[in-house]
Structures are given as structure tokens and as C-alpha cells.
Amino acid sequence: PQIVSNTAEVIVYPDPTINLNPTVSQMICIGGTISTPLQVGYTNGIGIPTYQWYSNTTNSNIGGNIIPGANSNLYTPPTFTSTGNNYYYCEVSLSGNGCDNVTSAVAEIQVFNDPTVTDPITTQQICENTIPTDLQVSASGGMPGATFTYQWYSNTANSNSGGTQILGATNSTYTPSTVASGTTYYYCVVQQNNGNSGCETVSNTAEVIVNPGPSFNTQPQDIQVCEGATISAPLTVSYINGVGTPSYQWYANTVDNNTTGTQIIGEINPTYTPPTTSPATTYYYCTITLTGGGCPQIVSNTAEVIVYPDPTI
């Protein structure tokens, strides 16, 4: 009799195709690593997949160089140390009989130099509670078209690392505080893509020296003399603290106040010898103005100078 075998099922699957290509284009800076790994996925075919990533010097998914150990559907290139365009693709092989190998599209990673930054002014000396010169930086380069972000830091040491982040100081310009005296160093960190692209640069430090405001440590003293006498010790002022070049101006007044006096022409030194040619009571004071540090003008106390008539019989 005729005999009939069991059936044999023959399943012919479609060849595999790529349904997830790595990100087509990414930009980073030297020293950076891409934040999103290159990834490949496939559909159809049969069998166990084997992945092999390749690097290439041209935008092509043939003729590349095998990357040893890059045998997963995910691949993150190592840190880039030079600028240029880098190309990657992945070949997927299936263990099923007759399944064709399939290759992903090319992923391009462009590597740029870090941005550059101009430094803020090197140093400034100012008085407490005065308006300083703004610190300012200007960034350029880095990734084309990417936005720069700024973050200012303060430091007690002359170093542009290890400082304290200044909350809210996220512009290219920063106005340092002058509330308290002391020396503070400021620097700015400039990034693109919030630093995720490795695009970051740091300015040099700017030294800001805040001095206590000037004050008198020598005030003019009262004098009593007779008409025509020689004054042995002139009126004298001196000051401490503050910053800048001092300018002196003496005033004379007929009343005891240091606000409504008359400027004495030519008396611009820290000492002044009043005249004694005629009897009178005159009040003298001196103003000191410091230039270059924004310090306030200070005004001395008044000195009462009494010139008496010579005695008569």
C-alpha cells in the first residue's frame, strides 16, 4: 500500500530590516561624551541576533572599521580628544538559515573645540556700599548655533575652581557685592547644552577688593592767638581706609558748621595755616575726596581759630 509521511512545516520569514536607526547627527566638544548612546533595532528575520558596530571616516555604512567589543544594540563612543566628523553604523546578523545581514544608517558625531571666553577685568578696589564696575565675559566658538549659558562663582582664593555658585548669577554680566569689606575672587563657567555636550570653558578670576570707607584719624584743632602771631602748628587732617587718590580742600566759615563755608582758593593740602592779620573768630574745616574707588567724600570737624587784638595799656 501507499504510505504517507508526516508533514514538514517550512516557514520562510522576511529578511530582517532595521526599524530603529542611531541618531543621525549629534554635536559635542572635545573631552565630551554623547549623552544618548547610539542604538539600533530590527524587525523580521529569525534567530539570535549578533551586533557589530563600525567606525568610518566617511559618511558611509560600508568600508568601516570594526570596533572591538562593540557587540550590543547600544554603543557609546569613548571620549573624543580631537575635532572632526566621526561616523558610526551597526551591522545586525541573525543565526537563522539564510537571513541576510542588515546594516543601519550612519550616525554622524561632530566634535568641536570648546568655546572660548574673554576674561572679566583683572582687579578693582572700591569702597563699601559703592557701585562697582560690572564683571563681564563674552563667549564664542563651540558648537555652531548652540546657546551659551553662564554661571558665576565666588571664591576666597585666587582660583577658578572650587568656588561657591552664586544663585541667580546666570548672565554674561555680574555686579559684585560691596556690602562688606574684604577680597573676593569671581569667575564664570560658560557652557553649551548645559554641559551635557562637554562644551564648557571657565574664565580667569577677577579680584574685587572692598575697602572700608575713609574716615578721619586726625581732625583740625582749635587755635587761639594774638593778632599778627605766627601759628606754630597748622590745622592738619589725615584719614584711614578708603581707596584712591586723595584731594583736599579747606573751607572758612563765620559760623560753627562744616556745610556752608567758603572755599579757600589754593588750599588743597592736608595742612593749612590760617591768617592772623586781623582779630576775628573763624571756623575752618577740610573735605577729602578719594578718586578711583567710588568712596564717599568725608568732611572734617570744624576748628575754631580766634585771633585776639594785641593787648593795650
Side-chain angles (χ1 to χ4, degrees):
Q2 183 185 58
I3 58 176
V4 180
S5 72
N6 295 334
T7 60
E9 183 182 49
V10 177
I11 303 175
V12 179
Y13 291 93
D15 276 326
T17 58
I18 298 295
N19 65 352
L20 176 62
N21 280 295
T23 304
V24 173
S25 180
Q26 297 187 58
M27 294 189 297
I28 63 172
C29 285
I30 286 179
T33 301
I34 60 173
S35 57
T36 302
L38 304 179
Q39 185 174 9
V40 68
Y42 72 94
T43 186
N44 298 324
I46 186 67
I48 299 171
T50 299
Y51 302 90
Q52 180 60 63
W53 287 90
Y54 292 79
S55 64
N56 210 344
T57 56
T58 60
N59 190 1
S60 173
N61 62 358
I62 58 174
N65 298 311
I66 288 177
I67 303 173
N71 306 119
S72 167
N73 68 318
L74 297 173
Y75 174 64
T76 300
T79 301
F80 292 92
T81 57
S82 60
T83 61
N85 295 344
N86 302 269
Y87 303 96
Y88 299 92
Y89 61 92
C90 185
E91 183 180 73
V92 182
S93 304
L94 294 176
S95 61
N97 187 20
C99 292
D100 292 337
N101 294 345
V102 63
T103 304
S104 75
V106 176
E108 178 186 42
I109 299 177
Q110 295 175 279
V111 184
F112 298 91
N113 282 315
D114 282 323
T116 59
V117 61
T118 60
D119 293 318
I121 55 175
T122 303
T123 186
Q124 59 177 303
Q125 291 195 56
I126 51 179
C127 273
E128 284 180 335
N129 300 309
T130 58
I131 299 174
T133 300
D134 285 343
L135 306 178
Q136 187 170 11
V137 296
S138 176
S140 60
M143 297 187 302
T147 301
F148 294 107
T149 59
Y150 305 88
Q151 179 61 61
W152 288 90
Y153 291 78
S154 64
N155 208 344
T156 55
N158 188 6
S159 173
N160 62 355
S161 64
T164 300
Q165 188 180 98
I166 304 172
L167 296 179
T170 56
N171 296 314
S172 60
T173 300
Y174 174 66
T175 304
S177 172
T178 63
V179 173
S181 60
T183 299
T184 306
Y185 300 91
Y186 298 92
Y187 61 91
C188 186
V189 174
V190 180
Q191 295 180 330
Q192 289 177 310
N193 194 27
N194 294 321
N196 294 330
S197 59
C199 297
E200 178 177 298
T201 189
V202 185
S203 74
N204 288 327
T205 57
E207 179 186 50
V208 178
I209 303 171
V210 180
N211 295 282
S215 61
F216 286 94
N217 64 345
T218 301
Q219 296 275 5
Q221 301 299 309
D222 295 345
I223 299 174
Q224 296 186 30
V225 295
C226 281
E227 183 180 358
T230 299
I231 294 177
S232 59
L235 303 177
T236 301
V237 293
S238 65
Y239 72 97
I240 57 173
N241 299 324
V243 61
T245 303
S247 297
Y248 301 88
Q249 180 60 61
W250 286 92
Y251 291 79
N253 208 344
T254 56
V255 294
D256 188 8
N257 73 52
N258 61 359
T259 57
T260 62
T262 300
Q263 187 179 101
I264 306 172
I265 303 301
E267 295 303 329
I268 54 174
N269 295 307
T271 60
Y272 171 61
T273 302
T276 61
T277 54
S278 59
T281 297
T282 308
Y283 301 92
Y284 298 95
Y285 62 92
C286 184
T287 61
I288 301 178
T289 303
L290 296 174
T291 59
C295 300
Q297 184 186 75
I298 57 174
V299 183
S300 74
N301 296 334
T302 58
E304 182 184 53
V305 178
I306 303 174
V307 179
Y308 293 96
D310 277 332
T312 60
I313 298 299

